[in-house]
Amino acid sequence: PVSSQAAGAGRSGVAILRPMKTFTYILRRFLVWLAAILAASIVWEGFVGHDVGPSWLFELGVLAILVWSVISSFSHVRRVRLITDRVDAESLANRHRRQIEIPFPPADAFDLVDATIRELPNVESIESAKDSLQTLARVRRVNPYGSDKSPGERGRRKPRYNLVRAIVAPGEGSASATLVCEPEGGAWLDWFRVDHGTNLENAEAVTRAITRRVAERRKLEQESARQSETEKELTVARLNLLHAQVEPPFL
């Protein structure tokens, strides 16, 4: 009963904490956009003056930008929660870093990581340097809320890209892969733009794929070792049988 009560209290605490973090994240982006608009309006008035167009048009534009920032922030939070079922500063960020331990030699670990990144959907270009054990892929960001547009509509709008970077560090009989998934562009843009969880999705996908490949390779190695041991035991048994069949008559 005590443990069930503690678990219930923990779940209720998490349920209360999630809306608070969501509200904090949305409010932060709202204030950032508001501060940027105020700074731009001050600069505009200093260089151009006040009498430029009707004031209601400017106010309507400001309101539209602020409403858009709130809607995009809420959509970003909801999609991140769908991907990881958690809402915190790490999961809500546009840039993600993973440290993955791979129990293989560095060359084999690099081949495994490079092949995994190449299989990501919408990879348009990839640069691999096997000597320095690093890979950089450019992944086209698709709309996570709907299907792709027609080729004509896609051509009129410049596509956005995400970057997937992997660096393999050699160790003693093993390797460690540092994975970085981030949007293309400066880090200061993260204050104004959201990636709707696309880089988080790439990081989770690469981590899952590497884990699966390592597990499959380990399974094959174990099966091969068991098969070799079985063949060794069969060979010994056959030799013992031949020895037992041949030795008595000739003695």
Side-chain angles (χ1 to χ4, degrees):
V2 175
S3 61
S4 62
Q5 290 176 2
R11 286 194 295 269
S12 62
V14 172
I16 294 173
L17 193 60
R18 281 178 175 175
M20 292 179 60
K21 290 185 177 181
T22 300
F23 176 76
T24 303
Y25 178 78
I26 295 175
L27 179 62
R28 185 184 67 184
R29 291 198 68 242
F30 178 86
L31 294 177
V32 167
W33 272 103
L34 183 60
I37 292 172
L38 291 176
S41 63
I42 292 173
V43 173
W44 179 270
E45 291 178 359
F47 283 94
V48 179
H50 297 275
D51 301 329
V52 181
S55 60
W56 64 267
L57 187 61
F58 174 76
E59 294 172 357
L60 183 63
V62 170
L63 180 61
I65 292 174
L66 294 178
V67 169
W68 169 83
S69 69
V70 172
I71 293 175
S72 62
S73 300
F74 182 76
S75 299
H76 176 73
V77 172
R78 292 293 296 175
R79 189 161 193 275
V80 166
R81 184 175 176 182
L82 287 174
I83 295 173
T84 62
D85 195 26
R86 62 187 177 90
V87 177
D88 51 26
E90 181 182 356
S91 61
L92 291 174
N94 290 342
R95 302 170 191 271
H96 298 271
R97 178 189 176 97
R98 298 285 189 276
Q99 197 76 24
I100 308 171
E101 300 297 328
I102 304 176
F104 299 146
D108 295 343
F110 174 78
D111 292 338
L112 186 146
V113 172
D114 184 74
T116 301
I117 294 177
R118 289 179 184 273
E119 290 185 357
L120 282 174
N122 304 307
V123 174
E124 293 197 355
S125 63
I126 185 168
E127 300 177 1
S128 299
K130 195 166 185 177
D131 292 337
S132 57
L133 301 177
Q134 58 182 349
T135 297
L136 175 63
R138 196 165 181 248
V139 184
R140 181 170 57 86
R141 188 189 305 174
V142 298
N143 181 16
Y145 304 111
S147 58
D148 291 340
K149 298 181 179 179
S150 62
E153 293 178 347
R154 193 184 301 119
R156 289 195 295 267
R157 184 178 180 181
K158 185 179 179 181
R160 293 182 179 179
Y161 292 92
N162 293 327
L163 301 178
V164 179
R165 189 188 313 271
I167 302 174
V168 177
E172 296 182 0
S174 62
S176 176
T178 302
L179 179 69
V180 178
C181 299
E182 58 184 350
E184 192 176 46
W188 64 272
L189 294 174
D190 296 347
W191 288 96
F192 302 97
R193 295 191 315 194
V194 293
D195 68 339
H196 297 287
T198 54
N199 285 287
L200 175 63
E201 197 171 18
N202 289 337
E204 294 290 330
V206 173
T207 303
R208 287 194 307 269
I210 291 176
T211 304
R212 177 183 60 82
R213 287 171 178 264
V214 170
E216 288 179 353
R217 183 164 172 178
R218 281 298 190 190
K219 185 177 180 180
L220 290 175
E221 290 177 352
Q222 291 175 359
E223 290 179 354
S224 178
R226 283 197 298 266
Q227 185 176 2
S228 300
E229 187 68 23
T230 303
E231 291 178 354
K232 181 179 179 181
E233 292 176 356
L234 287 174
T235 302
V236 173
R238 288 170 183 168
L239 290 176
N240 291 335
L241 180 61
L242 290 174
H243 183 73
Q245 291 175 348
V246 171
E247 189 176 24
F250 286 95
L251 285 177

